[in-house]
Amino acid sequence: MSALRTVGTGPVPRALPGLDPTWSRTVVVPDSRGVERTWHLLDNGAEPVHGTLVCVHGNPTWSYLWRHLLAGVPDGWRVVAPDQLGMGFSERLGDDDPPYTVAERVADLGRLTDALGIDGPVVSVGHDWGGIISLGWALGRRDRLRGIVVGNTAVAQPPGDFGPPLIRLAHTPGVRPFGCVATPIFVRATSALSSPALPKDVRDALALPYGDSHHRRSVGDFVADIPFSPGHPSYPAVATIAEDIRDLDVPALMMWGPRDPVFGERYLRDLRDRLPRAQVHRFEGASHLVTEDAPEHVDAVAAFLDDLLDPPADARPVAESSSGGADRMWTALDARADDDSVAVAAGGATVSWRDLATRVTALAAGLRAAGVRPGDRIGLLVEPSTDLTTIVYAAWRAGAVVVVADKGLGFAGMRRALRGATLDHVVGRRTGLAAARAMGLPGSRISVDPLAAPVALLLGVSQHLDGLVALGAGATAGDLPEPDLDADCAILFTSGATGPAKGVAYTHRQARAEVDLVRATYDLGPDDAFVAAFAPFALFGPAFGLASAVPAIDVTAPDTLTAPLLADAVAAVDARVVFASPAALRRVVATREETTDDQRAALAGVRLLMSAGAPVPLGVLEQVAEVLPGAALHTPYGMTEALPATDVSLDQIREAGPGEGVCVGWPLEGVSVGVVPFGEEAAGPLETAAGTGEICVRAAHVKDRYDDLWLTQRRSTAYAGWHRTGDVGHLDDAGRLWVEGRLAHVVRTADGVVTPVGVEQRAETVDGVSAAAAVGVGPEGTQQLVVVVVGGSASSRRSGPRGPLGVRGADLDLADAVRAAVGRPVAAVLVADRLPLDVRHASKVDRAEVARQAARALAGRP
C-alpha cells in the first residue's frame, strides 16, 4: 500500500450548490515519480458493504461533477471522487514539472486508491478524459472489478476520424496556451455546452478551481496529452487500454448525452464495439456534461448497482409460431412465389406475388454482396410503396434491421430518432436522401431510383435498388441463411405524443408472434385482402399472406383519408378488411357523400374494420357503420410496444354502456392485462377488478426493449414479465378494460387522483362543446382540475402540435354547464380555439401543453 497522510478537511473555499462539505478531504500520497502530492477528493464515507465507486472527472471539470452521485447512491456503496493531480483542488505541478501522461495518471490513481484502502469490490466511473483513465485503472483491478460506468467519453479515434473538431482546435499550439491557460475560455465553454443553460451558481462552481492561469496549467496539459497520432507519448498507453477493455467481462453502463458536440455518435459506437455487453441510456436533451444535464443519471447508476447485486431474470412469455417455430415474416411470401395475382398496390403501382418474391430474394442477396451484414441497421426514408415493401422484406431476408421513424415526428424529431439509432445504411428517394444529408445521418446511402452521377455524388449514394437486384440476380431463397429468431428485425419509433419518440426494438420472433395473433384473432383467410390506412400495418400484407393496398394518402397524416380514396383502395385489391386510425375514420365519415355508386358498392363489401392508435368515440363508430354497412367494427387496444392487446366490437361497446373512460374490451388469446391500482404499487398488476391504476400487458409479441434507453426499459419492466404501458384505466367485473388516459396526464389533487378521459367525455356532452381536455394546474398533490373546451364542429379540434391555443376564460353559462356535466369539483373552465394533437394519429391531445397554456392564462400571462 502506498504511504498515505491525511491532511484534513478539503480546501473548497465556500459552500457550493449540492456539495456536502463533509465529503471534502485532502490526503498526501506519493505519485508515480516519487513526489508526495496532495490530492483533494470527495468521499461520501459510506461503509462499502457492497463495494466502492471510484469516479474520475475529465477536463476541465473536477470532482464536483459527481456530487449528485455521492448523494444518491443506494446504501452500502461508498463513492470516492478524486480531483486529478493538477486539477480541481488537488496540488498543482511546479513550473519545472513536466505534464503527466495518461500512463502516469492511471498509475497515480491506483496509488491513491491503494493508499485509501479501496481493496474490495469496485466499480469504475469516468467521464470525458476521465473515461480512459478510469478504464485503465479498472484494467489493473480485474479481480475486484464488478462493473464499469462511463459518461460521454472516447478511448480511440474511430477509423477515418480525426478527433473532435472542438478538441482539435483547442489542441492547436497557437490556441491552447491562450484558450486553455491564459484565459478561462475552455473552462467556461465546457459548462456552456449544456442546453438549457446550467444555473450560474453551478457554472461558477465548475469553474471555481480554475480562477487564474496558474491553476489552469493542467487544463492545457490535459489537452496537449490527447494522442491524435502514433508519435504522441501517450499514444501507446491509450491504444493499449482501448484494446484491452475488449476483454473485460463485467457489466457496463454508458450514460450518454446525445447533443454532445465533442463526443458524438461515432465515439459511442466505437465504445459499444469494444464493450458489446454494455447497456446504453441516452438522456434526451443532454449534452457533454451528462451528469449535469440529466439528473436521472443517478437513478440509472443506482439501478445498475442494484442489478449487480441481484441480476434481473427475463420473465417474458416466449411464443412459438403457428407452424411450430418455422414461420418467418416472409414465409407466406415464399409460399405464394408462383402466384401472379396482385400482392401489393401502393404509391400508384402494383406488384404480383411472383415478382415481389423474386425481387425480394435478389435484393437481399445484392445487399449481402454489397456489404450489408446481419444486424446492420437500415434507416428507411421511403414513403409506403411497393418499393418500400420490397426493401423491408429484403432487409429481413439479409438479416438486417429496419429502422422506421415516420415524418409525423417532424424534422427535428426524425433527426433525433434516426441519429440515435446507430444507422449503418440509409435508403431513400432523392428527397429522403437529401433529408438524410441535412440530418447528418451516418451510414452508406442507397437510392431507390438510379440518380444522375452529379446528384449521386452530392448525396453520397453508393448503390441503387436496381443495381443491387442485378447484383443478386439468380439467387434463390435457399441461398440466404435465415436470421436467428431472437435477432432484432425492426426499430419502430413511438409517436412522441407524450414525450420524445422512443425506439422500440422487435425481434423476428416477436414480430412473427404479432402477425400470428392478428391473423388468428380476426380469422384472416386467403381471400381477405386488406387496406392499410394505418402506418403500423402498411407493411404486413406479405407477412399475412394477403394482398394489401395503401390508399393514395400519406399514412403518417391519417386525417387525409377520404371515403372515395378508401373506396378506391378497397377496389384495387377487392379488399375485405380495413385497418384505419380514428382520425382517418372521422375524415371518411365527413366525406362519405362524395362517393359514387361504385365506390359505395366497394365499401359495402368490407367485412371487417379495425381501428387502433387512439380511443374511438362511440358516435364515430356509429357513423362508420353507415359507411361500411357490411363490416364488423373492432377497436383493438395496444401501442407501438404491444399491438394488439385487447379487442372490442361496436356491438360489445353498446352492450357495455357508458363508463369511466373508453371501453377497449377483453385481453386477446395469450395476452394478460393487469392494472396496478394507485396507492397499491407494491401489489403489482392485478388481473381482476381492483380499481384504477396503470395498465400493464404481458404477451409474447410485446417489444423486446427500448433501444438505447436502458433505464426506461428497466422501469417499463419493473413488474417481472409485464410491460408498463403508461396508460391508466381499470378492469370491470366482466373483465373488460377501460382506458382513462395517460399516467403522465393524471391530475393529482389534494382529494385524490383524477383521470382525464371520463371528465372529457362528460364535458363533451355539453351543447356547443366539440372537444375537451382535462388537465391539472399547480403542484403535484395539490393540483386543481381545469377543463379546457373547444366549441364549434368536431373538425375544429384538428390542429398541429405547436403554437398558441387561444386559451381564455369561458362565459358563466358554459362554465356552469361543464361543471354540471363533469360532476366533480372543477377549479376553472377555459375555452380554446383548438387542442394540440399529435401528427401520427391526429387524435392524441397533448394535455401537458394544454396544462402549460392554461396555467399561463389563469395567471394572467399571454
Side-chain angles (χ1 to χ4, degrees):
M1 178 183 292
S2 301
L4 170 69
R5 180 158 54 88
T6 300
V7 177
T9 57
V12 179
R14 65 173 188 265
L16 299 176
L19 181 65
D20 184 337
T22 64
W23 297 335
S24 180
R25 59 186 288 211
T26 55
V27 297
V28 175
V29 179
D31 68 8
S32 52
R33 300 171 183 174
V35 180
E36 287 198 337
R37 298 291 187 187
T38 301
W39 291 75
H40 172 253
L41 56 94
L42 300 179
D43 184 348
N44 70 350
E47 181 67 26
V49 175
H50 305 308
T52 301
L53 279 69
V54 176
C55 303
V56 188
H57 68 84
N59 186 35
T61 55
W62 58 291
S63 55
Y64 182 72
L65 190 74
W66 305 112
R67 66 194 181 282
H68 300 303
L69 207 52
L70 279 133
V73 291
D75 292 342
W77 290 94
R78 181 185 181 190
V79 181
V80 174
D83 290 346
Q84 298 199 55
L85 291 175
M87 303 292 288
F89 289 101
S90 287
E91 183 177 336
R92 267 40 182 179
L93 277 69
D95 293 341
D96 296 329
D97 291 330
Y100 288 113
T101 64
V102 167
E104 289 176 311
R105 289 195 175 277
V106 171
D108 289 343
L109 179 61
R111 294 174 71 85
L112 171 66
T113 56
D114 288 348
L116 290 171
I118 300 174
D119 56 3
V122 293
V123 175
S124 72
V125 185
H127 173 263
D128 187 83
W129 204 227
I132 190 78
I133 293 166
S134 68
L135 289 169
W137 174 86
L139 286 166
R141 285 147 187 84
R142 294 177 190 242
D143 59 326
R144 289 171 276 158
L145 188 65
R146 296 296 179 266
I148 294 167
V149 179
V150 293
N152 291 53
T153 188
V155 297
Q157 291 173 226
D161 183 79
F162 299 102
L166 293 176
I167 302 301
R168 293 289 302 211
L169 177 64
H171 196 270
T172 305
V175 173
R176 178 167 45 84
F178 175 77
C180 298
V181 182
T183 70
I185 291 175
F186 188 75
V187 171
R188 288 290 184 174
T190 300
S191 61
L193 293 174
S194 295
S195 178
L198 298 176
K200 183 179 184 303
D201 57 355
V202 171
R203 298 198 307 272
D204 290 345
L206 287 166
L208 184 62
Y210 307 111
D212 57 42
S213 59
H214 169 68
H215 287 89
R216 289 192 293 267
R217 175 196 157 172
S218 285
V219 173
D221 289 345
F222 250 116
V223 172
D225 196 40
I226 299 173
F228 286 121
S229 62
H232 191 284
S234 282
Y235 188 90
V238 171
T240 298
I241 294 169
E243 286 305 307
D244 287 354
I245 63 173
R246 295 182 186 275
D247 298 328
L248 289 176
D249 188 27
V250 295
L253 171 65
M254 298 179 187
M255 313 181 296
W256 210 260
R259 299 182 64 177
D260 188 353
V262 181
F263 297 120
E265 295 296 330
R266 59 190 181 276
Y267 296 101
L268 174 58
R269 186 166 190 160
D270 178 76
L271 277 169
R272 297 178 73 161
D273 179 65
R274 297 170 191 277
L275 295 168
R277 290 182 55 199
Q279 305 289 353
V280 177
H281 189 92
R282 298 173 189 271
F283 290 95
E284 175 62 23
S287 184
H288 179 66
L289 296 180
V290 64
T291 58
E292 298 293 337
D293 299 345
E296 279 192 315
H297 79 276
V298 177
D299 296 337
V301 174
F304 178 75
L305 297 176
D306 287 345
D307 287 356
L308 291 182
L309 301 177
D310 184 18
D314 191 345
R316 293 173 298 178
V318 176
E320 293 296 337
S321 77
S322 56
S323 64
D327 277 4
R328 300 302 181 103
M329 294 296 282
W330 53 85
T331 297
L333 173 61
D334 287 350
R336 299 190 66 169
D338 295 327
D339 188 340
D340 289 317
S341 65
V342 172
V344 180
T350 62
V351 62
S352 69
W353 290 99
R354 184 192 300 274
D355 290 345
L356 179 61
T358 300
R359 191 167 175 83
V360 163
T361 299
L363 180 56
L367 288 169
R368 291 176 65 89
V372 173
R373 301 167 299 175
D376 276 7
R377 293 187 171 190
I378 302 179
L380 303 178
L381 295 176
V382 185
E383 70 285 351
S385 57
T386 56
D387 286 322
L388 177 60
T389 302
T390 303
I391 295 162
V392 168
Y393 284 84
W396 286 338
R397 291 303 310 260
V401 182
V402 297
V403 179
V404 182
D406 64 65
K407 64 183 182 182
L409 299 178
F411 182 85
M414 286 187 66
R415 180 180 185 274
R416 185 202 65 78
L418 293 172
R419 281 176 64 89
T422 321
L423 299 180
D424 298 286
H425 315 278
V426 177
V427 182
R429 299 191 193 276
R430 183 185 303 191
T431 53
L433 295 172
R437 184 181 181 88
M439 294 177 194
L441 301 184
S444 71
R445 301 293 194 262
I446 300 171
S447 175
V448 173
D449 309 302
L451 299 175
V455 176
L457 181 64
L458 177 65
L459 297 178
V461 172
S462 57
Q463 302 282 353
H464 58 81
L465 293 194
D466 287 346
L468 290 171
V469 168
L471 188 61
T476 65
D479 297 328
L480 300 170
E482 291 196 340
D484 190 285
L485 272 170
D486 295 313
D488 287 353
C489 74
I491 307 294
L492 310 176
F493 280 86
T494 61
S495 67
T498 54
K502 299 181 288 289
V504 178
Y506 273 93
T507 65
H508 287 272
R509 186 189 303 275
Q510 291 154 348
R512 186 67 232 182
E514 179 176 3
V515 167
D516 289 344
L517 178 63
V518 171
R519 187 161 55 187
T521 298
Y522 299 106
D523 193 25
L524 300 181
D527 297 329
D528 281 322
F530 74 92
V531 170
F534 181 48
F537 288 97
L539 296 169
F540 275 9
F544 288 132
L546 305 179
S548 61
V550 177
I553 63 165
D554 179 355
V555 294
T556 66
D559 55 348
T560 58
L561 180 66
T562 65
L565 290 174
L566 175 61
D568 290 344
V570 168
V573 290
D574 194 19
R576 295 291 177 265
V577 178
V578 171
F579 297 88
S581 75
L585 296 182
R586 289 189 180 92
R587 182 69 172 150
V588 166
V589 167
T591 57
R592 57 185 166 176
E593 299 302 327
E594 300 173 14
T595 54
T596 65
D597 289 342
D598 287 344
Q599 289 172 329
R600 284 191 289 274
L603 294 174
V606 174
R607 75 164 185 86
L608 173 67
L609 167 80
M610 286 176 278
S611 184
V616 186
L618 176 59
V620 173
L621 288 176
E622 300 277 11
Q623 293 174 308
V624 172
E626 298 175 8
V627 181
L628 302 174
L633 306 186
H634 286 253
T635 60
Y637 163 74
M639 59 290 303
T640 306
E641 298 90 338
L643 180 68
T646 71
D647 180 75
V648 68
S649 69
L650 173 58
D651 289 341
Q652 290 166 336
I653 293 173
R654 290 170 175 151
E655 180 183 345
E660 190 70 17
V662 175
C663 179
V664 295
W666 292 267
L668 298 178
E669 184 71 25
V671 178
S672 298
V673 172
V675 172
V676 182
F678 291 126
E680 301 177 31
E681 284 75 15
L686 303 178
E687 298 180 60
T688 57
T692 297
E694 184 177 9
I695 300 167
C696 297
V697 174
R698 180 170 58 192
H701 67 291
V702 170
K703 64 158 174 46
D704 187 68
R705 67 190 183 282
Y706 288 118
D707 189 47
D708 284 358
L709 292 170
W710 175 77
L711 181 60
T712 305
Q713 169 63 15
R714 191 179 184 278
R715 287 172 172 169
S716 78
T717 55
Y719 303 110
W722 293 87
H723 167 67
R724 297 175 58 191
T725 67
D727 291 332
V728 294
H730 69 277
L731 291 164
D732 66 17
D733 291 335
R736 291 172 295 223
L737 178 66
W738 296 73
V739 177
E740 301 180 45
R742 292 287 295 171
L743 185 62
H745 297 161
V746 164
V747 182
R748 300 181 186 274
T749 74
D751 296 324
V753 170
V754 179
T755 56
V757 172
V759 173
E760 293 164 354
Q761 288 175 320
R762 292 189 288 276
E764 289 171 359
T765 65
V766 174
D767 288 344
V769 173
S770 64
V775 300
V777 173
E780 188 170 305
T782 59
Q783 287 180 320
Q784 301 298 307
L785 177 62
V786 175
V787 178
V788 180
V789 301
V790 177
S793 65
S795 62
S796 65
R797 63 179 282 151
R798 179 171 180 258
S799 76
R802 299 187 181 278
L805 305 177
V807 179
R808 57 200 181 276
D811 65 60
L812 186 59
D813 289 342
L814 177 59
D816 288 345
V818 169
R819 286 188 171 95
V822 167
R824 66 167 62 243
V826 176
V829 178
L830 303 176
V831 175
D833 296 330
R834 60 187 181 86
L835 295 179
L837 304 179
D838 72 300
V839 175
R840 177 183 293 178
H841 302 290
S843 300
K844 296 181 178 180
V845 175
D846 184 350
R847 295 187 184 94
E849 178 62 17
V850 175
R852 187 186 73 82
Q853 295 198 33
R856 293 184 65 85
L858 291 169
R861 302 196 304 269

